[in-house]
Amino acid sequence: MTLQQQLLLDLQLDQPPTLENFVAGANAELIARLRILTDHHHFDAVYLWGPAGCGKSHLLAATANAADAKRPVIFLPVEKVGADVTVASGGLLVIDEIQKLDEEGQRALFRLFNTARFLGLALLLSGTEPPMQLALREDLRTRIGQMLIYEIHRLSDEEKAAALAHHAQLRGMLMDPGVVQYLLRHGRRDLPSLMHMLESLDRISLAQHRPLTVPLVRELMQTTLDTDLS
């Protein structure tokens, strides 16, 4: 495999989600609250909500990763939530997309709410709607409504552009100012992927001794798309 092929492959990879590589924007209070979940070994309950693409899954995975060395962590796909779920005292249970829970999963999560305080268990849940709009059984929606609730606020394109430009400046990148706007129009919409793409493009431009310009980015992204389709 050539160097360019390796870099093009790298261009398609996502960064591991961390709380550090999630640009907070208007979500600074939420990020600070999630850091508490990674350290404390007592009962806690946090619910995140927002539309697809706002960063819910990133934040849940990042919190689980950060907590893993400090407390028992179970990150369950929503289809795995059932009567056989066992959690350790002082642990952290993370469930994404709870609006998809089936009847068995809803019963299991309700039972976990009933025992969480006695076990010192922390719950971190996410969904696409605020609690009272979830299509779940009433008693479960009520319990979720008693959690700490955070709506995830999306970054504006201006905030993303500023974050990308600052990231490029910190790395000492030399690039056409239009590159950031091109990535915002044609790249992945989440900021960690955009930053990772920018870093990969910078490495390719250095390896090819070509300036990081919009034509180069267009060429490399088209090559990557052709590779995916072949």
Side-chain angles (χ1 to χ4, degrees):
M1 181 181 290
T2 67
L3 175 60
Q4 180 170 337
Q5 287 172 324
Q6 290 174 333
L7 291 170
L8 285 171
L9 177 61
D10 185 50
L11 183 64
Q12 301 171 63
L13 300 178
D14 289 328
Q15 282 186 312
T18 69
L19 294 175
E20 289 71 26
N21 66 20
F22 186 89
V23 176
N27 300 297
E29 180 184 344
L30 166 58
I31 300 300
R33 192 63 184 76
L34 293 178
R35 292 188 191 283
I36 294 174
L37 278 179
T38 68
D39 288 320
H40 291 190
H41 292 224
H42 55 63
F43 170 74
D44 210 341
V46 178
Y47 176 72
L48 316 181
W49 71 273
C54 70
K56 296 188 301 295
S57 296
H58 178 110
L59 288 174
L60 265 59
T63 304
N65 291 340
D68 192 47
K70 303 173 185 178
R71 63 189 306 179
V73 176
I74 300 178
F75 195 154
L76 283 180
V78 69
E79 64 272 12
K80 298 293 185 181
V81 180
D84 58 345
V85 173
T86 57
V87 290
S89 177
L92 171 64
L93 175 63
V94 183
I95 306 173
D96 198 1
E97 298 189 311
I98 62 167
Q99 74 278 357
K100 297 180 180 178
L101 283 169
D102 60 18
E103 291 186 11
E104 180 185 356
Q106 292 180 52
R107 287 193 296 270
L109 182 55
F110 183 76
R111 286 194 295 270
L112 285 167
F113 267 107
N114 290 338
T115 59
R117 192 177 297 276
F118 301 104
L119 292 174
L121 175 68
L123 301 172
L124 176 58
L125 312 177
S126 82
T128 55
E129 305 289 344
M132 292 302 104
Q133 294 181 24
L134 292 169
L136 302 174
R137 48 189 272 184
E138 179 63 25
D139 54 359
L140 180 57
R141 287 195 291 117
T142 299
R143 291 299 176 90
I144 296 169
Q146 295 169 351
M147 302 173 74
L148 285 174
I149 300 166
Y150 291 91
E151 178 183 4
I152 302 175
H153 302 284
R154 291 184 185 228
L155 293 177
S156 67
D157 281 352
E158 291 76 13
E159 288 173 320
K160 290 178 183 178
L164 288 168
H166 181 65
H167 187 64
Q169 183 181 21
L170 291 177
R171 286 179 59 89
M173 294 182 189
L174 298 176
M175 67 177 183
D176 182 335
V179 166
V180 167
Q181 292 302 321
Y182 187 87
L183 289 178
L184 286 171
R185 289 194 302 270
H186 302 284
R188 293 276 296 274
R189 297 298 298 168
D190 62 293
L191 190 59
S193 294
L194 285 167
M195 284 187 173
H196 183 53
M197 181 174 288
L198 185 61
E199 292 171 1
S200 298
L201 290 167
D202 182 54
R203 289 196 294 273
I204 295 173
S205 73
L206 292 173
Q208 295 188 359
H209 305 288
R210 298 171 62 186
L212 187 53
T213 61
V214 171
L216 175 61
V217 173
R218 184 185 301 116
E219 173 190 328
L220 292 173
M221 291 181 71
Q222 184 59 51
T223 302
T224 304
L225 178 61
D226 292 342
T227 300
D228 287 342
L229 295 176
S230 63

